[in-house]
Amino acid sequence: WRPRPREASRCMAPGAQVDLISYLSGAGLAALVNFPLWKAAAIGQSGFTAQGPTFFARLKVLLGPPYKGVAATLFGMTWARAAIFYCADAGRDRMLALGASPAAATALPAVGISTLVQVVNQPIVRGTITIQDPSSRHAGLVAALRHIHATRGVSGLWHGTVPAVAKTVPKYVVAIWVWQGAGQEAASANHQLRRVARDDF
């Protein structure tokens, strides 16, 4: 027994055959669950002060409400992660069809799309991190972006893009490599099980 061409393509490349809704829903759920941890990391890494008389009071400031900019943060995280994984999978399929090596087909789309997404998303990242400062008086993302633009100009909206790319791109390349490798192993095992089951009958 041999898989039909379309079925084989689906099993070899786990991503491009999956509808975009799956990527968006998975990325959105991950962003929602991890938002309190992201908020704590944003406060800690940016040098903001989480004031409180006790350790647990400071912990509440880090992890608890108010969740400023939660909608913008979830939007930014969701579309970015969905775009990265979806386009990396689709790009891999396309490059393999053109005869590229598996290594190049995995790495190049992942590097390209994750870099592009980080650059496009940087103003949202800047604004949402700014309003996580417990002492911030900005009402929301728009107010923070206006303040950054007024004080630092347009370039201020993309301040820190290079370090952000250097931090996030390798992370996503490794994640995509593991995701695609795991998908191929699962597909191979599924084919073996189906062939054994067919032979038994």
Side-chain angles (χ1 to χ4, degrees):
W1 175 84
R2 293 182 180 179
R4 294 186 297 274
R6 181 178 295 180
E7 185 178 0
S9 175
R10 184 185 296 113
C11 294
M12 288 177 61
Q17 299 294 337
V18 179
D19 62 285
L20 184 57
I21 299 301
S22 299
Y23 287 85
L24 288 171
S25 58
L29 179 61
L32 179 63
V33 171
N34 287 295
F35 180 82
L37 296 177
W38 175 87
K39 175 190 173 185
I43 293 174
Q45 294 175 6
S46 300
F48 301 147
T49 302
Q51 297 180 350
T54 65
F55 169 78
F56 291 103
R58 291 190 294 272
L59 191 63
K60 182 179 179 181
V61 173
L62 290 173
L63 298 175
Y67 295 130
K68 291 185 178 179
V70 61
T73 303
L74 293 182
F75 169 76
M77 289 182 177
T78 299
W79 89 262
R81 291 172 179 171
I84 288 171
F85 280 91
Y86 181 84
C87 293
D89 280 347
R92 180 179 185 275
D93 285 351
R94 182 61 176 167
M95 289 189 66
L96 288 175
L98 294 175
S101 68
T106 298
L108 295 181
V111 170
I113 187 61
S114 56
T115 300
L116 176 62
V117 165
Q118 183 63 51
V119 173
V120 173
N121 221 30
Q122 186 64 18
I124 296 179
V125 174
R126 286 272 292 145
T128 52
I129 288 178
T130 297
I131 59 179
Q132 299 314 310
D133 185 350
S135 64
S136 173
R137 296 183 179 180
H138 302 305
L141 175 64
V142 175
L145 292 178
R146 285 176 177 172
H147 174 75
I148 294 171
H149 180 266
T151 55
R152 306 196 61 171
V154 175
S155 63
L157 298 174
W158 278 270
H159 179 74
T161 300
V162 173
V165 169
K167 181 182 73 172
T168 59
V169 169
K171 174 183 69 177
Y172 280 114
V173 170
V174 172
I176 290 167
W177 177 74
V178 172
W179 153 258
Q180 293 177 346
Q184 292 174 13
E185 290 297 326
S188 177
N190 182 55
H191 276 302
Q192 292 293 335
L193 290 173
R194 292 178 63 181
R195 182 161 60 180
V196 170
R198 185 179 180 89
D199 291 343
D200 288 341
F201 288 100

